[in-house]
Amino acid sequence: MWQQLYSEIKSTGTMIVAIAEESRGAEHARQWIEAAKAEYWCLIDTDHRVADLYGMVNVPQSVWIDEQGRIVRPPETTGSTDHFRRMDLKTRTMAPEDQEARNAARVAYLDAVKAWATTGKHAMPANAARKRLPANTPDIAQAHAHFRLGVWLRAQGRTAEADRHLREASRLHPDSWNMWRQAADLEEVGRASGPAFWQRVQALGDKPYYPPPDFTPV
Amino acid sequence: MTTILTDRGDAQVEASNGLSVSAAEAERATGWTLKPEGMCRDEICVPLPSGMASGGRVDLAAFWRHLGNPVLSSEAGDVWMLGTGVEARRAALEGLEAPDFTLPDLAGKPHALSSLRGRKVFLATWASW
């Protein structure tokens, strides 16, 4: 999915690391990864360890890391937008202008990545990056523990006990779409984007599902 | 056998009385080493309250709670989740050093983020669901 971008930036030495947050395992990511014919890294993260370590709450999200291994842009939406919330659910289509705005946002994000790869533009100074680090509370820490144990128990077929932990994780960390949607997917493939998902999205009201990345110079 | 889950991965240990394990297994599972001054990792040593370690064994669950980290276990007590608490999360991210991880590709070959030091990295998550 990132091969076009990679072919444009690889001469700068920049690497792309694509992480599949996939608790059902590698086989569920295989078809997309093989279709991408990727020269960059495509890794499988059944435990959602990367989301845990970096405090990511949705997919797709990205982190930019510089040559010294420093975070220069904390987790942010990778060019996706909320236009899908206005989609016609019967036909699963978006208005042409929404489709256009959605594509433009994706292109703008990829352009920003390319500019950073080439010139370092859009890298945040440390104090600004620090201010944008994700929320960190005792409930969130506890939620990650429940999520991990739930995923492990699920893999062992201990479904009822697993689901109690997965539900507790979402209760403690309601902002994590990763936790809620992965748990729904483990219950049944497709449930992560089924009616319960749409109800949850509607309940956001004015809050964004994909907060737009902020490229205001700091 | 008892399974311990941490942010470093999974480990199998021989545990008794909850999560009392040998010092060697504690180190293998968590990276913390039992020393006369307490439990030590990297440059940090944490003194242990009395009773937390004896006879070369450590009560890992008690130690983990002592660190301020979440501890969960399964109903059967055969798997323990030693989580990462607020303070450890703050310490890990506030310095802005990208947390390292090692994950497999489709073929199962492990890749460590830290091996890309010296290059910019665009780290992007996605999912099939």
Side-chain angles (χ1 to χ4, degrees), chain A residues 2-178:
Chain A
W2 300 108
Q3 185 54 35
Q4 176 64 34
L5 174 68
Y6 186 63
S7 66
E8 292 176 50
I9 62 174
K10 66 179 173 186
S11 63
T12 67
T14 305
M15 187 55 164
I16 298 176
V17 177
I19 306 287
E21 302 291 16
E22 205 62 53
S23 298
R24 281 184 179 272
E27 290 320 303
H28 285 260
R30 180 177 292 280
Q31 60 170 303
W32 282 275
I33 293 175
E34 288 182 347
K37 299 200 189 315
E39 296 172 83
Y40 53 89
W41 287 2
C42 293
L43 309 182
I44 312 295
D45 185 11
T46 50
D47 295 334
H48 291 221
R49 188 171 304 164
V50 172
D52 185 334
L53 287 170
Y54 288 83
M56 292 162 166
V57 294
N58 207 343
V59 287
Q61 287 198 324
S62 308
V63 173
W64 299 9
I65 300 165
D66 73 7
E67 293 87 337
Q68 285 73 48
R70 301 222 156 240
I71 296 170
V72 293
R73 291 191 73 85
E76 63 189 2
T77 305
T78 314
S80 296
T81 67
D82 272 18
H83 293 97
F84 78 96
R85 293 170 69 177
R86 295 204 293 248
M87 154 192 322
D88 180 333
L89 281 182
K90 287 200 183 74
T91 60
R92 294 249 159 196
T93 52
M94 273 182 257
E97 60 271 25
D98 280 4
Q99 188 67 51
E100 206 171 297
R102 184 175 189 246
N103 292 341
R106 181 175 162 83
V107 169
Y109 193 79
L110 296 184
D111 283 349
V113 176
K114 287 181 226 172
W116 170 62
T118 313
T119 68
K121 194 179 173 185
H122 303 310
M124 292 181 187
N127 55 353
R130 214 167 271 126
K131 276 188 201 146
R132 294 214 200 152
L133 286 172
N136 177 22
T137 67
D139 276 358
I140 291 174
Q142 195 74 19
H144 280 291
H146 280 286
F147 180 81
R148 176 85 187 285
L149 182 56
V151 166
W152 189 91
L153 290 165
R154 262 271 173 185
Q156 305 290 314
R158 292 153 72 170
T159 307
E161 190 180 0
D163 289 354
R164 283 199 292 280
H165 286 286
L166 294 171
R167 275 195 296 274
E168 182 64 359
S170 273
R171 189 188 70 78
L172 291 167
H173 192 9
D175 292 338
S176 173
W177 289 94
N178 281 346

Side-chain angles (χ1 to χ4, degrees), chain B residues 28-102:
Chain B
R28 186 165 53 77
T30 68
W32 287 87
T33 310
L34 182 62
K35 293 185 177 172
E37 54 268 46
M39 287 287 271
C40 303
R41 188 165 75 173
D42 301 325
E43 256 82 275
I44 301 160
C45 286
V46 177
L48 299 183
S50 67
M52 214 174 270
S54 64
R57 293 180 79 81
V58 189
D59 183 339
L60 261 188
F63 171 62
W64 217 250
R65 289 189 194 101
H66 182 59
L67 290 176
N69 290 325
V71 175
L72 299 173
S73 65
S74 64
E75 286 163 3
D78 61 327
V79 55
W80 290 73
M81 171 66 212
L82 303 183
T84 307
V86 167
E87 182 51 33
R89 287 172 189 275
R90 189 197 59 74
L93 285 179
E94 201 181 63
L96 296 176
E97 190 179 333
D100 194 22
F101 56 83
T102 299

